[in-house]
Amino acid sequence: MQRRNFVSIIQQGHEGWRLTFGRDPVKLEPGLNLAIPIYHEVLVMDMRESSISIPNLTGYTSDNVPVTCSGSLFYRVNNGYKALFEVSNVHENIKNTGTSAVRSLLGLFSYDQVISDRNELNKQLNTVIGNSIANWGVECSRFEIQTFKPANREVERQLELQMEAERNRRKQLLDTQAQINVAEGQKQRVILESEGHLEAKSNEADASFKTVVREAEARQKQALLEASALASQVEELARSIAKDKDNILPEERQRALTSLIEIRRLDQLKAIAQSKSNSTYFFGDQAALGRANDSYNIDYAEHIKGGLYSKPVVGRPEAASLV
């Protein structure tokens, strides 16, 4: 015979409701509570977070791949009154709601999406299930997909072939991109080298131009200095031979210039005489050389030297061999 007690103990983490002849529920807190047999009936609801396992659930993804998945639904009862009196067998109904939600949402995701981002599916399942069971005073904490795989071996083999083809395609794309990057790098290298050569040539041209300009300026300055020195020499020589030191005549400057030129020619003849080269120079009178006013026109003699061998010159030329 079943023993009847006048007290009921509600465990910690649970919530009790006492009915009087099946109505007028009264909430009972954890601890010792009065419950008269036949007159009272006590219903207890676990308020702790619990989980329901949904194993081997079959379904189809959005790309019509038959799959089998399993997961765990975690929930917590927030309102014991609604969980007891607004739904019958709340735990079984939570499981059925989770099963239906998983089948529905699987059809919204492709196989690759579920494999690559399972958290997104878990997040949407948590939202859908939570909205469905909220009216029962139950909160869906989270839903975790534990296993997800093709429904049979044939489908799994086809998916493996598909994934292998996808990997090969991505490898070819990466190889092509790598070749493009290498070609682009070589192109940039050639461009930079050509620009470097162009810059170097431009710098060399600028340097050559500046060198030529500097040399021309140096020669110009040297010529000016030599002309100035020559003018000073002519002036000093003309002053020395002039009758009136303070009033030098143009004829005296001309005589001084002629004397300096003769001195320069003598210096040239001396250099020729002291040279170690075997050269033959021909000198004649003024008419033969073509200059009546110059005694020794070396440049003109060099110019006509070749013609003297083939055509005799009127007069009596003298030959000098300087070694």
Side-chain angles (χ1 to χ4, degrees):
M1 183 175 181
Q2 184 178 4
R3 183 178 180 181
R4 297 180 178 179
N5 296 322
F6 288 90
V7 294
S8 177
I9 300 176
I10 307 299
Q11 301 294 332
Q12 182 69 32
H14 293 70
E15 184 180 286
W17 290 86
R18 183 177 61 197
L19 302 178
T20 302
F21 291 121
R23 62 180 184 179
D24 300 329
V26 177
K27 183 179 180 180
L28 303 178
E29 299 295 336
L32 190 64
N33 295 276
L34 178 63
I36 302 174
I38 301 176
Y39 182 72
H40 291 148
E41 179 183 2
V42 177
L43 302 178
V44 180
M45 176 59 62
D46 191 349
M47 306 297 290
R48 297 172 298 176
E49 184 174 5
S50 304
S51 66
I52 296 177
S53 178
I54 303 177
N56 300 327
L57 180 63
T58 59
Y60 287 86
T61 61
S62 62
D63 48 354
N64 295 325
V65 177
V67 294
T68 300
C69 68
S70 62
S72 296
L73 173 61
F74 295 85
Y75 67 95
R76 180 194 299 272
V77 177
N78 294 327
N79 192 325
Y81 181 86
K82 290 184 176 181
L84 287 172
F85 302 110
E86 293 190 7
V87 60
S88 62
N89 197 348
V90 63
H91 301 289
E92 186 66 23
N93 283 298
I94 292 174
K95 181 177 181 180
N96 293 336
T97 301
T99 301
S100 177
V102 171
R103 281 204 177 100
S104 299
L105 288 179
L106 275 179
L108 301 178
F109 290 84
S110 65
Y111 184 85
D112 292 337
Q113 287 178 330
V114 178
I115 293 297
S116 61
D117 191 7
R118 191 176 297 184
N119 290 332
E120 183 63 24
L121 177 60
N122 293 335
K123 188 184 301 182
Q124 293 199 23
L125 283 172
N126 185 22
T127 302
V128 172
I129 296 174
N131 293 335
S132 299
I133 64 178
N135 295 329
W136 303 337
V138 182
E139 174 192 4
C140 180
S141 302
R142 64 186 184 279
F143 190 96
E144 297 290 341
I145 295 291
Q146 295 176 343
T147 61
F148 184 83
K149 60 183 180 179
N152 53 67
R153 177 57 188 166
E154 181 63 23
V155 175
E156 185 176 358
R157 189 178 69 85
Q158 294 296 329
L159 290 174
E160 289 176 355
L161 294 176
Q162 181 180 354
M163 287 187 292
E164 183 178 359
E166 181 65 20
R167 285 193 295 268
N168 292 333
R169 185 186 69 84
R170 292 179 181 178
K171 179 178 178 298
Q172 292 177 357
L173 289 176
L174 293 176
D175 293 341
T176 303
Q177 187 63 38
Q179 293 176 358
I180 293 175
N181 292 337
V182 171
E184 186 67 24
Q186 292 178 352
K187 173 185 173 183
Q188 293 297 327
R189 179 179 62 82
V190 172
I191 292 175
L192 292 176
E193 287 180 354
S194 62
E195 290 179 352
H197 292 322
L198 178 62
E199 187 70 21
K201 293 295 183 182
S202 177
N203 292 336
E204 291 177 359
D206 291 341
S208 300
F209 174 76
K210 291 180 180 179
T211 302
V212 171
V213 171
R214 295 290 176 81
E215 290 177 352
E217 291 176 350
R219 288 195 298 269
Q220 181 183 11
K221 189 173 183 180
Q222 180 182 2
L224 291 175
L225 292 175
E226 290 178 353
S228 177
L230 182 59
S232 299
Q233 292 178 2
V234 170
E235 188 69 21
E236 291 297 328
L237 185 57
R239 188 183 302 276
S240 64
I241 63 177
K243 295 179 180 180
D244 186 1
K245 305 297 183 181
D246 298 329
N247 187 14
I248 302 173
L249 299 176
E251 292 80 3
E252 294 172 343
R253 286 192 176 90
Q254 182 65 33
R255 287 173 54 195
L257 178 60
T258 302
S259 300
L260 286 176
I261 292 175
E262 293 299 331
I263 293 172
R264 292 290 180 89
R265 286 176 179 167
L266 290 175
D267 291 339
Q268 291 180 358
L269 290 174
K270 183 179 179 180
I272 293 172
Q274 293 177 352
S275 175
K276 296 181 180 180
S277 61
N278 296 325
S279 301
T280 303
Y281 297 91
F282 296 88
F283 303 94
D285 55 9
Q286 296 178 355
L289 294 175
R291 294 287 298 274
N293 296 327
D294 296 332
S295 300
Y296 303 99
N297 193 334
I298 302 302
D299 295 334
Y300 186 77
E302 285 287 332
H303 178 68
I304 66 172
K305 182 175 63 174
L308 294 177
Y309 294 104
S310 59
K311 183 179 179 180
V313 180
V314 179
R316 297 178 63 184
E318 297 177 356
S321 177
L322 306 178
V323 179

